[in-house]
Amino acid sequence: MPKIVFIEPSGEAREVDAPVGLSVLEIAQQNDIDIEGACEGSLACSTCHVIVDPAWSARLEPIQDDEEDMLDLAFGVTRTSRLGCQIIMTEGLDGLRLTLPSATINMMG
Ligand code: FES
């Protein structure tokens, strides 16, 4: 089973099982990782924002325009930021490292 390592804002790393075909958001929710995902993956919020380790960023599917537009609204966006609901797990992403941003803005509020 592939794994994802989530780095909490505190710096604590948590490695979790990451079934192929699930989104990073779904995997986080199954493991009590604190990603909100207010719109449940429909690209209508930015609360699933994660920061991808630069070593991994180029190995993800390229970012789409609508994902980029949503990310613009997220707090603390970096060059390797993505929306967790848009990253779908594959075998090739085994070991993926993601940092959780320290805050999110909930546009659905
Ligand atoms: Fe809302 Fe990902 S959960 S955009």
Side-chain angles (χ1 to χ4, degrees):
M1 169 94 68
K3 307 275 188 199
I4 292 180
V5 179
F6 287 100
I7 320 280
E8 311 258 6
S10 64
E12 188 185 337
R14 282 186 55 195
E15 184 180 87
V16 302
D17 288 339
V20 168
L22 288 191
S23 71
V24 162
L25 174 64
E26 291 167 316
I27 293 163
Q29 288 176 338
Q30 284 182 358
N31 289 281
D32 287 328
I33 303 280
D34 194 17
I35 300 182
E36 186 175 341
C39 78
E40 297 295 337
S42 52
L43 266 185
C45 72
S46 58
T47 61
C48 62
H49 172 208
V50 292
I51 299 165
V52 180
D53 186 299
W56 283 94
S57 151
R59 294 164 70 169
L60 300 182
E61 294 287 318
I63 193 163
Q64 304 294 317
D65 284 350
D66 40 1
E67 181 182 351
E68 202 154 9
D69 289 348
M70 259 313 142
L71 259 179
D72 282 344
L73 305 173
F75 178 86
V77 176
T78 74
R79 270 191 326 117
T80 62
S81 289
R82 296 294 298 260
L83 293 178
C85 66
Q86 302 302 306
I87 303 174
I88 306 300
M89 197 62 199
T90 64
E91 290 286 347
L93 293 179
D94 183 19
L96 177 65
R97 292 175 74 86
L98 302 169
T99 301
L100 305 183
S102 53
T104 58
I105 301 169
N106 186 354
M107 303 295 292
M108 308 280 285

